[in-house]
Amino acid sequence: MATDDTPGSWPSAAHIRSAGGDFRVAEAELAAANSSRDPERIAVAASRHFWPLLTQWPSDLESILASLPDVTLARHPILAALHPMAATLGVAEPPAVDRTTDDTAKRLQYLGVKMIAARRRGDLAAATGAADRLAATLSVPRVPSIAIARGAIPFTFAQISMTRLLAGDTLAALRAGMAARHLAEHDPASPVTRFALALTALAHAVRGSLAEAELALAQGQERPLGARWFAASTRAAERVTLELVGIERADPEAIQSLQGGDWNAEAGEFWPLALLARARAAILRGVPADALELVCVTVDAPAPQGMVADVSISQRIEAHLALHDMAGARALAGQVRAPGLLTCVALAKVHLVGGDPARALAELRRLSAAHTLPPAQREEIQLLGVWIRADLSGSLDAADASAVARLVEGTARRRLLSVTLPVHVREAVEVHLRDDELALFRRSLKPLPALRNESSPPPLSRSELRVLQTMVERASVDDIAQSLFVSRNTVKTQLRAVYRKLGVHSREEAIAAAIRWSLLDDPRPRR
């Protein structure tokens, strides 16, 4: 648009292009508004034609945003939402007068700004409500689909996808992202196509469909990146996707690279998912305390919603479990009111590690009944089911062992296996594997620090180990004391030490922990 003229100025009517009536109208109105030098008139024209400004003339949009006074920006929320400082300063709610307008375009703009504003201030409930109304408005048959495909509607669907993703509804995010891509295909030069592919890839990565995520990323590399606004969001989504895929595959380079740096700013609105990748990486490195600290420092909202809440709670629980801090994990579990999917699986682990396999099994059955369950959680539930059967029956069958071994093939689920199955279950799996399967299984899991960390049980003295092993057959303190020929007070003192070191509160939890670390078969002191 403003090519040969002074930067930020509008071309004369003689320069108006003939490529499309909509752009010609937009260009003429914007040129007239700029000539008037009236901030309000310029803002009105820019709000009406924000889409060609955003996609075709981004430098002109930047000039407009820089020139408008704050009071004018406040009256035009769509421009405020596009302002470079919007993510930091927030976006005001659009005027209430736009709420009930019969003008479809104006109503879409109102709902879009409302959704973005709510999402950026962390109010995912309000953002999801606006996304629902946006989707309903866009489904009305009388909305001209061809005109929509060439305009801002693909961008709107991409924003809906982003909102659904951050709210924790990955399936709805995937569908909206695919819709955005389909609509944007009508314009090969549209930057929305790559942005939609990046959102689709990120949704696939969160759901655990790693091959699909990588395919979407590869397809996006062939499309234009777009101006700064699109480039920043697209690159952030692509970067976080690669991080999540690398961590799920437990790639050593990815594990080590996700430390330090200004990752929060680089991830933009996708920071909760970047946090998920970094917390998982810390646990895989064998330093769950770092994961705990990272989450506690990063999440400062008093009542987080959506993916922020799910990542925060689930990764704190996972870190406490990796630290063998059953008390801390239980305390967090007791605070949960409306758990997200990641947190639901973490809660099932708390029940299982705490020696309550029946309750864990009930929770897993409830989760697995959902037909929309993502592949990652479905496979994690499968692994936890194997753990439960191993604990209840004391062994596994060949079918269970083969199912676990298949997950390791191609390193697609190395992280999942390393943080889900304890040593005694992996040993039960190895009993049923052929030599070639066993070699692959051990080779795939051996390099992970999380496994080496898990194989080091809490340091129990010889007398504490004797008490722990004796309590399996004798439930009361008196019976244990008589069996070991020591006083009742000595047994009570040693039991307190055992419970403290194992991070448990009951006999059942202590026995479950002893099985997990293979302490019942080894009488040697752990010093």
Side-chain angles (χ1 to χ4, degrees):
M1 188 169 180
T3 53
D4 300 325
D5 299 275
T6 304
S9 65
W10 301 101
S12 64
H15 291 121
I16 294 178
R17 70 181 67 181
S18 59
D22 290 342
F23 282 176
R24 293 179 63 196
V25 170
E27 203 163 19
E29 290 189 7
L30 288 166
N34 185 67
S35 298
S36 73
R37 301 188 181 280
D38 179 359
E40 184 62 26
R41 185 176 174 185
I42 293 173
V44 169
S47 295
R48 183 181 299 123
H49 302 296
F50 80 92
W51 179 246
L53 279 168
L54 187 64
T55 57
Q56 304 296 321
W57 312 308
S59 61
D60 293 313
L61 176 59
E62 292 176 8
S63 297
I64 289 174
L65 295 176
S67 68
L68 293 177
D70 291 345
V71 292
T72 304
L73 279 173
R75 290 194 294 271
H76 299 275
I78 188 63
L79 299 183
L82 298 173
H83 196 281
M85 295 296 291
T88 302
L89 302 178
V91 181
E93 285 284 329
V97 69
D98 292 342
R99 187 181 307 162
T100 57
T101 179
D102 292 331
D103 185 331
T104 301
K106 199 167 187 179
R107 177 168 175 77
L108 287 174
Q109 191 177 107
Y110 164 79
L111 291 171
V113 173
K114 183 177 180 65
M115 177 180 67
I116 294 172
R119 189 182 71 214
R120 285 182 171 171
R121 68 172 179 264
D123 188 353
L124 273 302
T128 301
D132 291 341
R133 293 193 293 278
L134 263 175
T137 302
L138 290 171
S139 69
V140 176
R142 64 175 177 270
V143 176
S145 58
I146 298 301
I148 281 173
R150 296 185 60 186
I153 302 308
F155 169 78
T156 303
F157 269 107
Q159 289 298 316
I160 292 174
S161 174
M162 194 169 172
T163 300
R164 302 290 196 201
L165 183 59
L166 294 175
D169 191 346
T170 57
L171 184 58
L174 193 59
R175 290 169 175 165
M178 294 170 69
R181 177 192 175 186
H182 174 71
L183 289 169
E185 291 286 355
H186 290 271
D187 180 5
S190 173
V192 177
T193 303
R194 181 162 173 177
F195 183 37
L197 281 167
L199 290 170
T200 300
L202 186 52
H204 276 309
V206 176
R207 290 177 61 80
S209 299
L210 307 186
E212 294 293 333
E214 291 171 325
L215 177 60
L217 283 179
Q219 292 172 337
Q221 298 304 307
E222 303 170 356
R223 305 305 175 100
L225 190 58
R228 184 176 67 182
W229 195 95
F230 283 100
S233 298
T234 301
R235 285 197 180 104
E238 291 174 346
R239 184 184 302 111
V240 176
T241 298
L242 287 172
E243 291 173 353
L244 287 170
V245 171
I247 292 304
E248 197 62 27
R249 296 191 189 283
D251 177 70
E253 184 177 345
I255 294 173
Q256 295 302 324
S257 66
L258 296 186
Q259 302 182 68
D262 192 17
W263 64 270
N264 203 324
E266 293 175 350
E269 287 193 73
F270 303 110
W271 69 265
L273 301 175
L275 173 62
L276 175 63
R278 281 156 179 78
R280 286 175 169 176
I283 292 174
L284 284 175
R285 288 196 301 271
V287 283
D290 287 0
L292 195 59
E293 176 70 4
L294 181 65
V295 174
C296 291
V297 169
T298 306
V299 181
D300 59 357
Q305 300 179 22
M307 193 61 77
V308 176
D310 201 16
V311 169
S312 170
I313 299 171
S314 66
Q315 295 312 294
R316 288 163 65 195
I317 290 176
E318 296 279 8
H320 279 292
L321 291 177
L323 287 166
H324 315 310
D325 179 12
M326 193 62 200
R330 280 185 174 278
L332 275 172
Q335 299 171 13
V336 176
R337 294 296 175 265
L341 187 55
L342 298 174
T343 303
C344 284
V345 176
L347 292 175
K349 286 185 184 179
V350 172
H351 300 319
L352 187 51
V353 174
D356 192 353
R359 188 173 177 184
L361 185 59
E363 180 67 18
L364 295 179
R365 283 175 175 168
R366 184 186 68 80
L367 285 174
S368 59
H371 70 281
T372 59
L373 194 66
Q377 278 69 48
R378 195 170 294 281
E379 291 177 355
E380 190 165 13
I381 287 172
Q382 179 184 4
L383 290 175
L384 292 174
V386 169
W387 181 354
I388 291 174
R389 288 189 290 277
D391 279 3
L392 292 178
S393 65
S395 62
L396 292 175
D397 57 26
D400 278 334
S402 297
V404 173
R406 280 196 299 272
L407 289 178
V408 182
E409 293 179 5
T411 69
R413 288 287 179 264
R414 292 179 68 215
R415 183 201 69 84
L416 201 57
L417 265 78
S418 70
V419 301
T420 302
L421 293 185
V423 172
H424 75 282
V425 178
R426 288 196 294 271
E427 290 174 346
V429 168
E430 292 181 355
V431 170
H432 296 281
L433 298 180
R434 302 189 308 269
D435 289 345
D436 56 334
E437 292 177 325
L438 180 60
L440 175 62
F441 186 78
R442 289 177 174 174
R443 187 167 60 250
S444 298
L445 296 181
K446 184 178 180 181
L448 296 179
L451 299 185
R452 296 195 293 271
N453 183 63
E454 183 195 42
S455 63
S456 300
L460 301 182
S461 67
R462 184 182 299 276
S463 58
E464 290 165 354
L465 273 173
R466 290 173 60 203
V467 168
L468 178 60
Q469 293 166 349
T470 305
M471 70 186 298
V472 175
E473 300 294 336
R474 294 169 172 79
S476 72
V477 172
D478 289 336
D479 288 345
I480 295 174
Q482 291 178 8
S483 175
L484 298 177
F485 303 102
V486 297
S487 71
R488 190 173 186 275
N489 286 337
T490 297
V491 171
K492 291 174 67 176
T493 300
Q494 292 171 347
L495 280 177
R496 282 195 295 269
V498 169
Y499 284 13
R500 175 176 54 80
K501 291 181 179 180
L502 296 183
V504 300
H505 296 89
S506 67
R507 173 178 179 270
E508 290 74 18
E509 291 180 8
I511 293 174
I515 294 173
R516 191 163 65 252
W517 286 305
S518 303
L519 295 176
L520 299 182
D521 301 321
D522 189 355
R524 293 172 296 175
R526 307 277 180 159
R527 289 196 180 276

